[in-house]
Amino acid sequence: MSNLRNVSFNDLFAEVKRRYECTKRPAMNVIMIGPPGSGKGTQGPKIKDDLCVCHLATGDMLREAVAKGTELGKQAGDIMKRGDLVPDELVIGLIENNLSNPECERGVLLDGFPRTAVQAEKLDQMFVSKQMSIDRVLEFAVDEDVLGERIEGRRIHQASGRSYHLKFNPPKVEGKDDATGEPLMHRKDDTREALGKRMASYHRDTKPILDYYRQHGNLRTFNATAPIKEVEGHIEKALYSNMI
Ligand code: AMP
């Protein structure tokens, strides 16, 4: 509590107002699933703000661990650079440790997790124990021919996970994050070589879990090859229209 005394009145008031507005939104837990470059990183921050949920992106958390040189980062760095999946227990631990964050009180947006059947099963167990439910699974279905260009031109703001594209979604100032002005970076695994591996793992490990969610009736699939604004519309419909 005491650290709130250091927050300016305007910031505190804006945050109270934001949280009050959030109470009018439906509380929801959402999973985003899609291949690399399908737009999860672009749409995630918008969905997070719209639903007032926390955004748990395992790729962002791992990149942060690599940048900080933590034990987890040392274990994950080379695996990520190659485009392979890091061991299940490492990412499961990340989600477990963050699911109870105060920011996740109104729900959670999972980005890049679960990616394997083991992770999906473990997530079910975590949700049951916390009396949470998976309300929507959003499948970003994309024409794979566009992915090479999308990831080669992708630039990210490491601290926030905000995503840009040199051609399709450029920042206001070249090379700088719109919100903070901090430099953007090109991910080490955003290469055509690593993309091949990441796609293979998407087809082998991740696609089967879509069938599982399809059977449970909460999967929504939409065309993520469309322009960003159009995808936003698909997502809005997927989130707010009634379940089938
Ligand atoms: P992303 O930012 O989601 O594309 O993730 C970047 C990289 O982090 C992946 O290619 C994996 O090496 C690793 N990673 C992220 N999430 C997971 C996960 N759920 N399971 C295993 N590896 C992951």
Side-chain angles (χ1 to χ4, degrees), residues 40-155:
K40 304 186 299 299
T42 303
Q43 299 294 339
K46 289 179 207 152
I47 301 174
K48 169 197 151 125
D49 288 346
D50 202 30
L51 289 178
C52 306
V53 293
C54 66
H55 181 195
L56 301 184
T58 41
D60 289 349
M61 293 178 198
L62 289 167
R63 273 185 291 282
E64 192 186 341
V66 173
K68 286 186 176 155
T70 65
E71 193 46 47
L72 171 66
K74 284 180 197 146
Q75 290 178 59
D78 286 340
I79 303 175
M80 293 170 72
K81 197 172 164 192
R82 287 198 303 269
D84 289 325
L85 291 185
V86 308
D88 285 326
E89 61 274 18
L90 296 184
V91 281
I92 288 167
L94 278 176
I95 296 295
E96 254 171 347
N97 292 341
N98 284 282
L99 218 47
S100 303
N101 290 349
E103 221 197 333
C104 301
E105 257 170 20
R106 292 196 50 80
V108 51
L109 173 65
L110 292 173
D111 177 348
F113 183 96
R115 249 173 163 104
T116 66
V118 172
Q119 293 175 22
E121 278 165 29
K122 188 66 195 179
L123 181 67
D124 272 353
Q125 290 165 15
M126 284 189 252
F127 270 31
V128 167
S129 73
K130 290 182 181 297
Q131 294 174 322
M132 292 164 74
S133 59
I134 298 169
D135 299 296
R136 295 288 190 279
V137 179
L138 306 178
E139 181 191 2
F140 288 61
V142 68
D143 175 357
E144 290 182 19
D145 292 342
V146 306
L147 297 180
E149 189 183 12
R150 280 194 183 183
I151 62 146
E152 278 184 333
R154 170 156 67 187
R155 297 293 181 270

